[in-house]
Amino acid sequence: MTDIMLKVESLSAWYGAARILYDLTFEVGRGEVVALMGRNGAGKSTTMKAIMGLIAQRQGKVAFNGDDISRLEPYQIARRGLGFTPEDRRIFSDLTVMENLDIGRQPPRRFADGAAAPQWTPERLFALFPNLAEMPDRPGGRMSGGEQQMLTVARTLMGNPLLVLLDEPSEGVAPLIVEQMANTIIELKKEGLSILLSEQNIHFAQLVSDRVYVLEKGQIQWQGTMAQLSGSPDIQRTYLTV
Amino acid sequence: MTLNAFLFQILNGLSAASGLFLIAAGLSLIFGVTRIVNLAHGSLYMLGTYIAYTFATKIGGVTGFWGGIVATALIVGVIGALIEIVLLRRIYRAPELFQLLATFALVLVINDAALWLWGPADLLGPRAPGFRGAIEILGRRLPSYDLFLIVIGPLVLLALHLTLSRTRFGRLIRAATQDREMVGALGVNQAVLFTSVFALGAALAGLGGALQIAREPANLATDLIALGDAFVVVVVGGMGSIPGAYLAAVIIAEVKALCVGIGVVDFGFVTINFSKFTLVAEFLVMAIVLIARPYGLLGKAQGAVRSIAEPEEPIRPATPLLKALGAVVLVLLVCLPLLAQSTYFGSPYLLVLGIDVLIAIIFAASLHFIMGPGGMHSFGHAAYFGLGAYGAALLVKWLALPFGAALVAAPLLALAGALLFGWFAVRLSGVYLAMLTLAFAQIVWAAVFQWEGFTGGSNGVIGVWPPPPFDKSWVYFLLTLVLAVAAVLLLRRVLFAPFGYAMRAGRDSALRAEAIGIDVKRVHWLGFAIAGLICGVAGGLFAFAKGSISPETIHINRSIDGLVMVLLGGVQTLTGPIVGASVFAVLQDTVMRQTEYWRALMGAIILVLVLAFPQGIVGAFAALWRKAGGRT
């Protein structure tokens, strides 16, 4: 990997007195899809929130697109081109689909080397998520879980991110939607985006990921390529099987 | 009342509704986005009337009046922005109630600033240029300015609606009202958004105030009156709903106007002057709406607000060190009567101050009991204090009950009140609960104030002195001390009993507590009642300590004093209310004597405390203690 988009060094995080993350070190290359895998409570979501600056009690260094973002506010991190789609989606339920998209809108941006990042408009996103195109004026609160999942990804893409933190996109949605999400991720990868994915579902991760970090109890227990993980039932049994 | 007179009153009500709507809309917007209940909102409204008055009289003419109103809105908007940047921005992460304390300090500071700048006299502005006359409607003359006001309310409603639905700023406000953290994670600078929303809300309040100058004089008491009205309107309409605010403003203003219009009615057995019922009517409407629709007429259940404050530390039993400290303080207090007689620095005033502090401690400890461990933020705790005080005084006055019996009856009356009001209150939570408790307190206050024949009205009850030996201040002091210690220990004991655990469990997660078989509403209701009972003790003691009581005893100021005491000490520590009440009572008794501008001084002290000790005094020391390694 020549071009590192996200480099996390010794990241730790606490909720009150409880320590959740222990010195995580990992990286995501440009155009790469990396999966953070682990069981419930392993610290996947917390890792993403800590990178995004949403957890006040955190330590360690996070570099993104060549800049240190460890001490920035969430909005400043977002404005550097780091997109975040939370696990619980957090759609603005009083706002329509179009209005939700508008909240995520940010100016076009470039990679550190000057190359333009993929730029998104509602029209392009509707092409990517045809279901959303059918309901531009529907309030977010009256959408199905799968539709909300698409909207939360689309909303993040409106910020023209360079890298997206995708927290459990396959959780609690219908199998058809899961398949669609996988296609979307492959599509985004083709566009040149990097993606850090958190996932419990190995079948989903296998469809889209290049590399894997396996988390347990807030520590990285294993790392390697997706192919290596697929070929190691032992590791899967130890860290992933419920 | 004839039909014409009735319709005329409706028009009157509509013009009053516009002013109510302007201030309530601003309050609602600010609360929605920042989750701060801006107690200083009435003060911004009051500033609006004063600033507009100055423009209208110093510059005069059309420019001075109409230009002045626009300029006033802008100036108050800037003041709002400054308040947000200088003060509130530092305390967004502090517990919600601390933010209330900070904005209440602003109420005090702004009130004294206005006193200093404009003096104590009422200032009536000139008539509005272009709207000096009156129009004959329904056989009566309606000032044309009132017609102008009737129109301005819906216009502002429309403007706000378009802003919220058609502009990006409006969409951001709506999104942030629901989930401000997510808005930040999408790249929106919350600081800028918060400041602009605060400025917009402040400007609306300033505009509302400015528009009143041709109708009502600028007056130093308008801040709390406007605040109370705005609260009622926002809560009745539903927090965060702008159309709801207008609807509620119309309803409240109409009910008030009709009360005035009906006037005195003779029912044969009793004569009621409805025009005196405006206050009660307003709060009755609110109480009814909250009971029927807990989130207001057009409000929605708020999604769980993502708290950005640190999770609450659990309360812990006293350490041996704390117990020893308590014992030392107790011994010192027992010796206070001797100290007061000593020739060097003794003074009889010391005992009076001591009694005040002890009563404040009982009051604050009982409020803390429901606020901290119960999580019920009562804004009307003065009601139970007042029920105790008036109960004792009136029993002595009308039934010539002996001292001891009156002192026992006082808390029982407060208990009855708390059982009644608490039954409704525990069905709500958060700001709505706070407002409902405030409404009940205002109803008690208004009843006492307006039922002159029985309660003495504004004159209160006088000549309620304790019999010997309690007429000696040292004996009375010791009695108060015994009761205060008993009250504090009893409340502590309850908190560390299964009942106390259940109450805290209900606070932390009502759903989970119910899932393990706790009847949360019932537990909280009983908690509310216990707090009322103990508070009644303080009220009874207060009546006999002062020898006289007035409606001041139940005034909203006392409820707020209680909040300040609890927050000053720290909500999540058991010693907090004791320390907070002591500091507050001593400050009030000493600072108040020093200067005419005691409110500003008090406000400044609170602000310093809020910024320096965001966890309360005791909380700050506890944190220091833990840092020093003395983890308990």
Side-chain angles (χ1 to χ4, degrees), chain B residues 313-361:
Chain B
E313 287 273 326
I315 50 175
R316 298 177 202 286
T319 57
L321 183 70
L322 186 64
K323 281 181 181 156
L325 197 68
V328 171
V329 171
L330 193 58
V331 169
L332 284 178
L333 282 174
V334 171
C335 298
L336 194 72
L338 295 173
L339 208 66
Q341 284 171 349
S342 82
T343 35
Y344 294 110
F345 51 94
S347 110
Y349 169 68
L350 210 54
L351 284 177
V352 175
L353 179 64
I355 292 171
D356 281 354
V357 168
L358 288 172
I359 290 174
I361 286 176

Side-chain angles (χ1 to χ4, degrees), chain B residues 204-227:
Chain B
L204 284 172
L207 179 65
L211 286 171
Q212 294 304 310
I213 55 164
R215 243 176 144 240
E216 279 162 19
N219 173 311
L220 285 172
T222 43
D223 53 357
L224 284 182
I225 296 172
L227 176 69

Side-chain angles (χ1 to χ4, degrees), chain B residues 400-631:
Chain B
L401 223 60
F403 171 67
L407 217 48
V408 172
L412 293 180
L413 268 168
L415 172 70
L419 279 173
L420 176 66
F421 297 156
W423 191 85
F424 296 106
V426 295
R427 266 139 244 277
L428 303 176
S429 62
V431 184
Y432 289 96
L433 181 141
M435 291 304 121
L436 188 65
T437 52
L438 174 70
F440 284 134
Q442 288 304 96
I443 290 172
V444 173
W445 177 80
V448 165
F449 192 76
Q450 293 175 337
W451 196 358
E452 264 186 67
F454 184 59
T455 62
S458 57
N459 295 323
V461 186
I462 51 169
V464 197
W465 293 109
F470 297 103
D471 56 344
K472 291 193 180 58
S473 57
W474 70 271
V475 182
Y476 199 78
F477 171 79
L478 287 181
L479 172 73
T480 312
L481 180 60
V482 168
L483 289 177
V485 170
V488 168
L489 290 181
L490 178 76
L491 289 176
R492 269 192 99 95
R493 184 69 199 85
V494 172
L495 281 183
F496 288 106
F499 176 82
Y501 300 150
M503 194 162 80
R504 277 189 273 158
R507 169 197 71 185
D508 289 340
S509 172
L511 214 59
R512 278 176 238 174
E514 285 190 356
I516 56 169
I518 297 171
D519 186 344
V520 172
K521 282 203 178 74
R522 193 185 158 84
V523 167
H524 279 180
W525 181 41
L526 287 179
F528 201 95
I530 293 173
L533 177 82
I534 302 288
C535 186
V537 175
L541 284 169
F542 177 84
F544 286 107
K546 300 293 168 198
S548 66
I549 49 169
S550 66
E552 287 276 289
T553 318
I554 320 176
H555 196 261
I556 177 173
N557 278 345
R558 182 171 302 274
S559 295
I560 295 192
D561 285 352
L563 288 172
V564 173
M565 291 177 202
V566 171
L567 297 172
L568 214 51
V571 180
Q572 296 307 339
T573 61
L574 290 181
T575 33
I578 300 172
V579 174
S582 310
V583 170
F584 185 87
V586 169
L587 276 182
Q588 205 177 33
D589 275 21
T590 51
V591 170
M592 260 171 74
R593 286 155 203 269
Q594 298 299 323
T595 161
E596 185 190 351
Y597 296 107
W598 61 271
R599 287 183 214 85
L601 196 57
M602 189 87 171
I605 291 171
I606 296 176
L607 283 181
V608 169
L609 288 173
V610 164
L611 293 175
F613 303 108
Q615 301 156 289
I617 300 173
V618 175
F621 278 113
L624 268 181
W625 175 254
R626 279 199 298 276
K627 252 191 194 153
R631 231 169 221 283

Side-chain angles (χ1 to χ4, degrees), chain A residues 21-95:
Chain A
L21 301 182
Y22 294 83
D23 297 312
L24 304 188
T25 297
F26 60 92
E27 59 197 31
V28 181
R30 182 157 162 186
E32 203 183 18
V33 178
V34 173
L36 274 180
M37 301 203 64
R39 298 191 182 101
N40 260 341
K44 305 185 295 295
S45 294
T46 307
T47 307
M48 297 207 159
K49 285 184 188 160
I51 293 173
M52 206 57 211
L54 292 169
I55 290 174
Q57 290 175 280
R58 59 182 197 272
Q59 266 177 22
K61 195 177 168 218
V62 181
F64 175 64
N65 201 20
D67 301 322
D68 182 5
I69 59 164
S70 327
R71 306 264 36 108
L72 296 187
E73 293 283 317
Y75 83 91
Q76 293 169 319
I77 295 174
R79 286 185 184 184
R80 301 284 170 115
L82 191 55
F84 173 52
T85 70
E87 175 184 22
D88 45 357
R89 305 183 189 119
R90 294 168 80 163
I91 289 300
F92 303 113
S93 53
D94 291 345
L95 276 61

Side-chain angles (χ1 to χ4, degrees), chain A residues 15-17 52 54 56-57 73-76 78-79 82-86 88-96 98-106 152 155-156 159, chain B residues 93 164-192 240 300-301 303 306 308 310-311 313 631:
Chain A
Y15 283 124
M52 206 57 211
L54 292 169
Q57 290 175 280
E73 293 283 317
Y75 83 91
Q76 293 169 319
R79 286 185 184 184
L82 191 55
F84 173 52
T85 70
D88 45 357
R89 305 183 189 119
R90 294 168 80 163
I91 289 300
F92 303 113
S93 53
D94 291 345
L95 276 61
T96 64
M98 277 304 271
E99 288 176 329
N100 266 284
L101 292 180
D102 182 64
I103 299 292
R105 199 178 71 211
Q106 286 184 58
T152 187
R155 185 179 64 179
T156 302
Chain B
R93 283 181 188 278
L164 286 176
S165 58
R166 301 284 168 84
T167 67
R168 178 164 162 92
F169 176 61
R171 286 191 281 273
L172 287 176
I173 290 180
R174 282 156 59 212
T177 299
Q178 192 186 343
D179 189 345
R180 53 188 173 175
E181 191 188 61
M182 193 61 223
V183 171
L186 289 168
V188 176
N189 186 348
Q190 292 184 58
V192 174
K300 272 181 263 181
R306 286 160 203 277
I308 48 173
E310 288 287 302
E313 287 273 326
R631 231 169 221 283

